[in-house]
């Protein structure tokens, strides 16, 4: 009887296990905005080719799926780190990726194509000679352009998102761009000023993927089975045509993120920033931190409905806080660089940074050629320093680096250096505050400024920032923030600004802060004096007490307080 019962259990076990497996929730990650493959529509839901395909596969195979949309890089990292089970994000199947991912059969053969504005059509690669072509970083389009750039004599400029690339094309900063053909066709359908004159290049195909060697490799087999069924019954072709047909009624009226909101995961996000980097962040006369970054992050938090706590430890400390997990994000006028991309996930850019040369009003310097034999000051470790270093041999100037802006500008005012190079908004803000400087040469682009989180963490924070930024741009509030701090007649500029190169000038411009600090110092001194009297009376009474234990406590306290240097004690109280 027992043997029959055990045999019965052995028969039921695989069936029971299969039921559990079927009930398991499969976490699938995708891109945030890669229309027409995935994007958030005006009804606040994600739609597109990838979304429809994975939902159809789940329906056929009985999967219970949970989709999230952290962005492509974050999605790849999530699968590699085991935080997600699979990725469906318009991911090209390559030999390099197959070393890391087990990938399915391909479901879409993509082409990359050159696009221009309608007024500047390009019909062959020869016409790109001497021009600049934009492309998204790390894409198949970039790899293709790298193989032909020397042959046709054009330069490549990389971007993190399609929006930044499209804006640069519209502004004339680049002459053409290359992207996936369906992406550009979709943008054209939405009314963007883009034009395709060439057929495009076949560069690969998209596939579903899981981490190589993981327990989810069976999902690829099941995906392939469902995909074969969809190809056979025509449902795959129907999905693709739904989103790529030029006259499709399924195409939403807009691809902009304006009006969208994401869902916060935490009750409160800690945002780190710089402490003094006007006009992005600085202290006003009331000792409150203000500036472009401060107003922007507060406006985005309000728009997206999440709570923030801002800390201002300084730029280096802010970076360390995010890397150590003590802060969730950083907004500090931070430039997007390849080196930082290895550590941080960046938002869409909210400011295109220029570096610009500043000289004294009496200077005769009017071009870079006039800098020959002269000394130019720059802050250490900045994009401005990189620009100066790259052009030093060309123009023959000397470079002197500084740890901070104030010492650099002081050196210029005293004649120790002949010019300074700094971020354009920083330099122009200094001029609006009374610095006797001028900018004889137009600024040079050095990169994009963006919000950031530690790589692979808080993807919803990036999504909320991007959505909020788009909303602020759409309703005009973003431009108001920029105008407040960057307009030539900025309301922040003091109409009676005083030269701070003298002691009297410093006092005139900063007497409010000095008086405020004096008041705080006096208040703390009085409070400390009162507390010290109370403590002194208590331990004085202990020292003359008839009880030996109280006298011993008093003696230990007095000896310890006398024996420890005051600075050590203060440091212990502050950090301990």
């Amino acid at each position: 009887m027992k043997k029959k019962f055990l045999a019965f259990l052995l028969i039921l076990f695989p069936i029971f296990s299969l039921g559990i497996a079927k009930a398991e929730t499969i976490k699938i990650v995708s891109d945030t905005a890669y229309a027409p493959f995935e994007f958030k529509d005006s009804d606040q839901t994600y739609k597109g080719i990838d979304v429809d395909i994975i939902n159809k596969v789940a329906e056929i195979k009985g999967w219970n799926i949970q989709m999230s949309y952290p962005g492509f890089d974050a999605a790849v990292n999530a699968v590699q780190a085991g935080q997600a089970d699979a990725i469906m994000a318009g991911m090209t199947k390559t030999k390099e990726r197959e070393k890391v991912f087990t990938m399915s059969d391909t479901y879409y053969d993509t082409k990359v194509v050159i696009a221009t504005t309608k007024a500047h059509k390009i019909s062959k690669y020869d016409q790109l000679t001497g021009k600049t072509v934009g492309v998204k970083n790390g894409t198949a389009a970039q790899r293709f352009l790298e193989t032909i750039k020397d042959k046709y004599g054009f330069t490549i400029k990389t971007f993190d998102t399609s929006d930044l690339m499209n804006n640069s094309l519209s502004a004339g900063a680049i002459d053409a761009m290359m992207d996936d053909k369906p992406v550009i066709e979709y943008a054209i359908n939405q009314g963007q000023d883009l034009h395709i004159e060439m057929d495009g290049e076949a560069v690969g195909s998209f596939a579903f993927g899981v981490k190589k060697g993981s327990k989810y490799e069976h999902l690829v087999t099941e995906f392939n089975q469902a995909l074969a069924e969809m190809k056979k019954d025509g449902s795959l072709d129907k999905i693709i045509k739904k989103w790529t047909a030029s006259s499709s009624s399924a195409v939403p009226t807009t691809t902009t993120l304006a009006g969208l909101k994401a869902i916060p995961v935490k009750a409160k996000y800690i945002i780190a920033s710089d402490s003094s980097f006007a006009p992005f962040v600085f202290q006003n006369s009331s000792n409150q931190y203000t500036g472009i970054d401060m107003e922007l992050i507060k406006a985005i938090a309000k728009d997206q409905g999440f709570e923030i706590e801002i800390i201002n430890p300084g730029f280096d400390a802010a970076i360390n806080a995010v890397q150590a997990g003590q802060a969730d994000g950083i907004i500090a006028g931070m430039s997007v660089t390849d080196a930082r991309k290895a550590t941080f996930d960046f938002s869409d850019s909210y400011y295109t940074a220029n570096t610009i040369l500043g000289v004294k009003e009496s200077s005769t310097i009017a071009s870079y050629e006039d800098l020959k034999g002269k000394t130019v000051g720059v802050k250490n470790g900045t994009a401005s320093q990189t620009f100066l270093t790259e052009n030093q041999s060309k123009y023959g100037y000397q470079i002197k680096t500084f740890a901070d802006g104030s010492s650099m500008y002081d050196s210029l005012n005293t004649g120790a250096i002949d010019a300074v190079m700094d971020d354009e908004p920083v330099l122009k803000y200094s001029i609006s505050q009374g610095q006797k400087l001028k900018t004889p040469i137009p600024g040079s682009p050095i990169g994009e400024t963006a919000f950031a989180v530690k790589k692979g963490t808080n993807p919803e924070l990036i999504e909320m920032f991007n959505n909020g930024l788009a909303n602020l741009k759409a309703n005009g509030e973003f431009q108001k923030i920029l105008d407040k701090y960057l307009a030539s007649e900025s309301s922040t500029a003091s109409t009676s600004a005083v030269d701070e190169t003298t002691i009297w000038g410093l006092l005139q411009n900063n007497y409010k802060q000095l008086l405020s600090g004096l008041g705080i110092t006096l208040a703390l001194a009085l409070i400390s004096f009162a507390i010290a009297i109370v403590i002194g009376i208590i331990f004085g009474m202990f020292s003359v007490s008839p009880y030996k234990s109280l006298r011993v406590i008093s003696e230990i306290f007095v000896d310890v307080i006398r024996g420890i240097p005051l600075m050590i004690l203060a440091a212990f109280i502050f950090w301990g």
Side-chain angles (χ1 to χ4, degrees):
M1 183 68 182
K2 288 183 178 180
K3 290 182 178 180
K4 290 181 179 179
F5 182 71
L6 288 172
F8 180 72
L9 289 178
L10 289 172
I11 293 170
L12 286 180
F13 182 78
I15 300 172
F16 182 70
S17 299
L18 183 61
I20 293 175
K22 288 291 184 181
E24 181 184 8
T25 299
I26 301 167
K27 297 178 182 177
I28 301 176
V29 283
S30 188
D31 207 342
T32 300
Y34 185 50
F37 291 92
E38 50 268 329
F39 61 94
K40 211 171 189 181
D41 202 359
S42 56
D43 62 0
Q44 308 301 303
T45 59
Y46 279 97
K47 298 179 179 178
I49 295 173
D50 285 346
V51 180
D52 283 0
I53 289 176
I54 199 64
N55 283 333
K56 184 66 175 178
V57 169
E59 178 187 330
I60 294 172
K61 305 306 293 183
W63 291 354
N64 180 23
I65 65 171
Q66 177 186 328
M67 290 287 292
S68 59
Y69 303 85
F72 186 79
D73 289 340
V76 169
N77 292 335
V79 175
Q80 290 177 329
Q83 298 166 349
D85 307 326
I87 179 171
M88 181 76 173
M91 185 165 71
T92 307
K93 189 174 183 177
T94 65
K95 291 180 179 179
E96 291 78 11
R97 284 188 177 137
E98 287 186 287
K99 294 176 182 177
V100 182
F101 293 94
T102 298
M103 303 191 75
S104 69
D105 296 338
T106 60
Y107 59 86
Y108 188 88
D109 297 324
T110 187
K111 284 186 175 183
V112 292
V113 66
I114 292 288
T116 61
T117 58
K118 295 173 183 176
H120 302 88
K121 299 177 182 178
I122 290 178
S123 58
K124 52 186 180 179
Y125 292 118
D126 290 334
Q127 294 173 320
L128 293 174
T129 302
K131 300 185 184 298
T132 301
V133 182
V135 68
K136 285 185 292 186
N137 193 40
T139 60
Q142 182 188 17
R143 291 192 292 272
F144 174 78
L145 288 178
E146 292 287 352
T147 63
I148 66 169
K149 68 175 183 178
D150 294 334
K151 179 180 179 180
Y152 295 106
F154 57 81
T155 57
I156 299 173
K157 184 173 182 181
T158 59
F159 297 86
D160 287 330
T161 66
S162 294
D163 288 341
L164 293 176
M165 185 164 63
N166 292 342
N167 291 339
S168 293
L169 181 64
S170 299
I174 58 176
D175 304 291
M177 68 182 202
M178 178 168 266
D179 206 347
D180 292 320
K181 190 173 183 179
V183 174
I184 294 177
E185 288 176 336
Y186 185 84
I188 292 173
N189 290 338
Q190 302 309 298
Q192 290 193 31
D193 181 21
L194 294 174
H195 179 79
I196 298 174
E197 193 77 12
M198 302 168 69
D199 290 335
E201 306 288 340
V203 292
S205 303
F206 295 157
F208 169 83
V210 301
K211 183 179 179 181
K212 201 172 190 69
S214 73
K215 65 178 182 178
Y216 297 102
E217 288 191 317
H218 68 91
L219 296 178
V220 172
T221 302
E222 294 180 27
F223 183 95
N224 289 340
Q225 294 169 351
L227 186 65
E229 185 177 327
M230 292 167 65
K231 289 178 178 179
K232 186 176 181 180
D233 64 18
S235 56
L236 177 64
D237 188 56
K238 188 180 294 184
I239 289 171
I240 291 173
K241 285 183 177 179
K242 172 184 174 182
W243 297 107
T244 58
S246 59
S247 59
S248 173
S249 60
V251 176
T253 56
T254 179
T255 58
T256 179
L257 292 173
L260 302 185
K261 286 190 177 182
I263 300 174
V265 173
K266 298 182 179 180
K268 180 189 289 185
Y269 291 91
I270 298 175
I271 309 298
S273 187
D274 206 340
S275 56
S276 180
F277 186 49
F280 290 97
V281 53
F282 60 95
Q283 283 184 297
N284 59 21
S285 57
S286 301
N287 291 324
Q288 299 295 316
Y289 285 101
T290 187
I292 294 172
D293 286 350
M294 297 297 94
E295 294 203 22
L296 180 60
I297 191 63
K298 289 176 183 176
I300 287 175
K302 181 179 179 181
D303 177 84
Q304 293 291 294
F306 64 95
E307 188 177 346
I308 60 172
E309 177 187 338
I310 302 175
I311 57 175
N312 299 84
F315 186 77
D316 290 340
I319 286 179
N320 293 334
V322 175
Q323 290 176 329
Q326 298 166 348
D328 300 305
I330 177 173
I331 184 166
M334 186 162 72
S335 299
V336 180
T337 65
D338 291 336
R340 286 176 179 155
K341 285 180 185 177
T343 311
F344 295 96
D345 289 327
F346 285 95
S347 70
D348 293 341
S349 169
Y350 63 87
Y351 189 80
T352 301
N354 285 346
T355 187
I356 196 167
L357 195 75
V359 297
K360 289 196 287 188
E361 288 183 341
S362 58
S363 175
T364 58
I365 295 173
S367 66
Y368 288 121
E369 287 76 10
D370 294 337
L371 293 173
K372 187 173 183 179
K374 301 186 183 300
T375 303
V376 183
V378 68
K379 286 180 287 186
N380 193 40
T382 61
S384 297
Q385 183 187 17
T386 302
F387 177 87
L388 286 177
T389 303
E390 290 175 350
N391 292 278
Q392 184 175 15
S393 59
K394 180 178 179 180
Y395 296 112
Y397 48 74
Q398 299 298 317
I399 300 173
K400 185 174 182 180
T401 59
F402 295 84
D404 59 87
S406 58
S407 57
M408 179 174 72
Y409 287 105
D410 287 343
S411 293
L412 178 63
N413 289 323
T414 58
I417 56 177
D418 304 289
V420 297
M421 181 161 271
D422 206 349
D423 290 343
E424 186 169 5
V426 176
L427 185 53
K428 289 189 173 180
Y429 185 81
S430 298
I431 293 172
S432 75
Q433 298 304 302
Q435 288 278 1
K436 305 297 183 182
L437 305 176
K438 63 180 180 180
T439 54
I441 307 170
S444 301
I446 53 172
E448 305 292 340
T449 302
F451 172 81
V453 299
K454 183 180 178 181
K455 199 166 189 68
T457 67
N458 301 313
E460 77 285 352
L461 195 51
I462 292 291
E463 184 181 355
M464 290 188 292
F465 186 94
N466 288 342
N467 289 349
L469 179 63
N471 294 344
L472 296 183
K473 287 181 177 179
N475 62 28
E477 188 174 349
F478 175 73
Q479 193 59 46
K480 288 180 182 178
I481 293 173
L482 291 185
D483 290 344
K484 179 178 179 180
Y485 294 97
L486 299 179
S488 57
E489 296 297 328
S490 171
S491 60
T492 61
S494 173
T495 55
S496 58
V498 180
D499 184 2
E500 290 194 354
T501 59
T502 63
I503 295 296
W504 179 241
L506 285 169
L507 291 173
Q508 281 184 290
N509 271 1
N510 300 286
Y511 73 93
K512 291 183 180 179
Q513 293 95 318
L514 292 171
L515 289 176
S516 175
L518 177 62
I520 293 172
T521 302
L522 291 174
L524 290 174
L526 291 173
I527 293 170
S528 300
F529 185 66
I531 294 173
I533 289 176
V534 174
I535 294 174
I537 290 173
I538 292 172
F539 283 95
M541 294 175 68
F542 280 10
S543 66
V544 295
S545 172
Y547 300 103
K548 185 177 180 180
S549 59
L550 293 180
R551 293 199 304 272
V552 170
I553 291 173
S554 175
E555 289 174 3
I556 292 173
F557 177 80
V558 172
D559 289 341
V560 168
I561 295 300
R562 285 177 177 174
I564 299 176
L566 186 59
M567 285 303 295
I568 298 298
L569 186 61
F572 177 78
I573 292 171
F574 183 78
W575 281 294

